[in-house]
Amino acid sequence: PPQPWASPEQVAKTLQLWQSLQTELPKLSSNAVQVVAEQSAHYIQIDAPQLVVAAIDEVVRAARTKSRLNERALGPSRPAQ
């Protein structure tokens, strides 16, 4: 939606920066994947609860077994680079 405080160009530039920074986050960990809930808005727990449950299950499994996250268990995801 249009933002009254910013021009369309400013909004596009801000979104591009935000997406770039989000891509950097998983690189801060040696065991991370980035999952993008493309069919979700702000409230992922409401819009994609199955994805939230799958992510929690996978983190718990990896922690208990001291293994790497299995990105396939999370559906479409983007591995940290």
Side-chain angles (χ1 to χ4, degrees), residues 6-28:
S7 70
E9 294 80 19
Q10 289 171 317
V11 171
K13 192 173 184 178
T14 301
L15 179 59
Q16 183 180 11
L17 175 61
W18 180 83
Q19 289 172 333
S20 173
L21 292 171
Q22 290 296 308
T23 301
E24 295 297 315
L25 279 175
K27 296 176 185 177
L28 298 174

Side-chain angles (χ1 to χ4, degrees), residues 22-23 25-36 51 54-55 58-59 68-81:
Q22 290 296 308
T23 301
L25 279 175
K27 296 176 185 177
L28 298 174
S29 172
S30 61
N31 189 13
V33 294
Q34 180 183 32
V35 179
V36 178
L51 183 58
E58 180 54 21
V59 169
R68 300 206 45 83
L69 291 169
N70 177 0
E71 59 188 274
R72 290 189 197 127
L74 301 174
S77 62
R78 300 177 185 163
Q81 300 186 1

Side-chain angles (χ1 to χ4, degrees), residues 2 6 12 16-17 23 33 36 38 40 47 52 54 57 60-62 76 81:
Q16 183 180 11
L17 175 61
T23 301
V33 294
V36 178
E38 294 179 355
S40 177
D47 297 334
V52 174
D57 285 345
V60 169
R61 183 208 60 79
Q81 300 186 1

